[in-house]
Structure formats: structure tokens, C-alpha cells
Amino acid sequence: MLWLHLYGNALKGVAEKMIHSLFLINCSGDIFLEKHWKSVVSQSVCDYFFEAQEKAIDVENVPPVIPTPHHYLISIYRDKIFFVSVIQTEVPPLFVIEFLHRVADTFQDYFGECSETAIKDNVVIVYELLEEMLDNGFPLATESNILKELIKPPTILRSVVNSITGSSNVGDTLPTGQLSNIPWRRAGVKYTNNEAYFDVIEEIDAIIDKSGSTVFAEIQGVIDSCIKLSGMPDLSLSFMNPRLLDDVSFHPCIRFKRWESERVLSFIPPDGNFRLISYRVSSQNLVAIPVYVKHLISFKENSSSGRFDVTIGPKQNMGKTVEGVVMTVHMPKAVLNMNLTATQGGYTFDPVTKVLTWDVGKITPQKLPNLKGIVNLQSGAPKPEENPSLNIQFKIQQLAISGLKVNRLDMYGEKYKPFKGVKYITKAGKFQVRT
């Protein structure tokens, strides 16, 4: 199989390049968990990471790869936690980044959330999972349903029994999937209700200039699946317009040759939750911008005040409601405070970080939300050299902004009829409006 060949080559490529250690760091800069697969690496190696963090404007701007005299630090930021891995020799960074995301996804799947509290509350299971997911520095078992056979997810009853008997959550038998040619699916799966659900989630990354023209726009999309089907079903998922998709990345279960020839996703699915594909839509003319922003932000020369006036409205939302709208603005350092009036939602301004946050909520086209008022500057301070950028967050339910639509899902190999469902969500990624 193609994926086995590619995965084998990838592993061969890192045969001498292992992940030595992993540090989990919270937003306060505390290392609250560390795991070492080879020799112990001192926590002082994280000082290089903290230096880079201080230089970054916000958490998302911390470089994912940081070279140090003796190591490379490769990190991701998920759910207010930095996952920082320590590598001793050169390694393909995306290989490590993908593994770190897989670790975070596994914690989310096991504990319901990937938070510092959840990890601390389940620290024994966390170490057991890391021991199975990485063997001597090499990725080993990273599929969620295989891990769940190896290490049972935590329950209140199991925790009580383990504390009384001194037993652990580690299973006694090798997962059945590990012995088959379909290692991502365990054998003998049975459900009373057979269901297959797909979430098409798209994020828009865009930069809009002060005149409202699009400087850059790109859609990053994923299809997340929740499959609870008995036996060994063989599924085919087809799209109305599959040619939209660029740079498609597949789960190993997908038959790549069928996609190349027919643009159909054919696969025997893992059991439970997994990411089927991720993709990109980069053609500017295909990326519809769902909101517009009217803005007037001005600072007068030799004056201790300025004006702030921003209105947000829906643009091309195909009849769907834009909701969960939040605007964040990093105001210039000379700003002391802001006296604003919001026609909808509420705003906060932090005089220390100079961050203005306006929680708009849902936009109704009949009455567009507006935030305006006076900006107070330090007296005698020079006029800010440039206007701040507006960062917008939003969400649109039941819409894939690229126009991608699932056509049909067919199942072979089993005789029952499953429940099937598709949900579409569009949200803002890095969506910036320049003023």
C-alpha cells in the first residue's frame, strides 16, 4: 500500500533523528510536565524558547523551530499550552509538528479537553500514552482507537478501582488492529446504532487593506469524521466539486489511487473520531470574504485625543448568519484609555497591554454593530506612526465558504443502513483588516 511505503520511508528518514524530550509549558511560562525518551535534557534548554516567546508579539508568532547550540526546539501552541519537543539532530520539522498535534488530539480525545488541569488530573495516563505513542523516540501507536485498547480512557469507577487495587489503565492484550493489514481499525467492532458523521470545517486567512480590497486570502479546510459502524465497512465519499481542493493531506486509510483517478475518497474507516483529510483553497477568486469593516481611526498632530469609529457587516454569507464575532485591536503604546460606545455587545480596553476587545456576537443586517468614541493619548506624546490593524473572529454555521459540498456517502461490505450526516462550519483564521 502506498501509505505504508511513504510512512516507511518517512520513518527510515528519521532513523537516526529522534525526539529526545517533550516539555509542556503554560501561558505563565511554567513547565508543568516533562517527558524524556532518551537521556534527560535539562529544563534550562527551554530558556531559548522563553527568549523567542518574549520577542514575539503574541503566542501565535513564536517561531515553530528554534535552533540552539546543541538542540533544536520544535513547538506547537494548542489550547493555551506550548508543546515543546527537543531534537538533537536535524529532523523534518513537519514530521515532529504533526506528531505533537497528534499528542494534543489524543489528550483531547481521552480527557474531553486538552487543558493544563486535565493533564495534571490524569498525569499517570498522560505518561502511559506518551510511552506508547513514542517508542525510544520513534512514533509508534498514534491512532486513537488502537491507543484505547492499549490504555483504557479514564472513568471515575476505573480511577477508584485502580487506587484501591494498585492496577493501571494499561490493557493486557495487544490491540487487534496492530496484527492486521488495517492497523487503524480494531477487529470485531459492534454498535447498536450505526452512524457516520462528517464535519467540514473551513478557516479563512485574509488580509484586507484600508480601501477594502483583498491583499491575501486563503481557505484552510479539514473534514473531521465520527464513525461508529459495526464490522468492516468500506466507504466511498464523493463531492460535488472536488477540483476546488489544493494540497490535500490524507489519513492513511484513504486509497490514494482512487482519489487520483476519480476524485473520490474510498476507505475503510478507523473506529471513532479522526481527521479524514485536510486541504487548502488558495485561488483568490474562489475565496469569498464573508464580512466587511468600515473604519475611521485617526490621531491628530499635537493633540492628546483621537477618533475611533468601526462598523462590521455581513458581505457574502449565502443567507447564513455571521455569529461569534469578536474584534481585537492592539492599540499604539501612546494610548492611555478609550471612551467608546457600542451599539451591540460590550468592549474592554486593557491599559497595560493596550488591547481593545469588542465582543459583538451575532450580526443582523438590519442593524449593523458600531463602536465609536474618543481615544485619549499621553500628553506630549508624538502622533502614532501607523494605525493599528483590526483582527476579526467570526463563525458561520452550515456553510463551507469555498463552496465545497458532499455529494453522497456509499457503504459496501456490510448490509445494515447507517445514519449519515454532514455539518459545515466556516470560521475566521488569521483575518486582519488594515486601517
Side-chain angles (χ1 to χ4, degrees), residues 199-210:
D199 289 351
V200 180
I201 303 166
E202 295 190 339
E203 285 194 358
I204 305 182
D205 294 335
I207 297 173
I208 314 296
D209 68 14
K210 60 172 69 177

Side-chain angles (χ1 to χ4, degrees), residues 53-127:
Q53 191 182 4
E54 277 178 30
K55 289 176 189 171
I57 299 168
D58 55 48
V59 289
E60 291 183 349
N61 290 342
V62 176
V65 181
I66 300 168
T68 76
H70 302 292
H71 304 92
Y72 291 94
L73 303 182
I74 300 180
S75 65
I76 65 165
Y77 181 70
R78 286 278 296 267
D79 301 292
K80 300 183 179 176
I81 299 171
F82 287 101
F83 291 72
V84 182
S85 62
V86 181
I87 319 292
Q88 209 147 30
T89 50
E90 281 196 35
V91 57
L94 287 178
F95 186 90
V96 180
I97 287 168
E98 175 62 27
F99 174 76
L100 294 177
H101 278 296
R102 200 64 74 89
V103 170
D105 291 339
T106 302
F107 291 168
Q108 175 83 34
D109 196 23
Y110 262 72
F111 313 133
E113 57 176 352
C114 179
S115 66
E116 182 181 354
T117 308
I119 290 169
K120 283 179 174 176
D121 288 347
N122 298 281
V123 70
V124 174
I125 296 174
V126 166
Y127 278 111

Side-chain angles (χ1 to χ4, degrees), residues 336-352:
L336 281 177
N337 56 50
M338 304 179 74
N339 298 319
L340 308 174
T341 304
T343 60
Q344 182 179 324
Y347 80 92
T348 58
F349 175 70
D350 187 330
V352 177

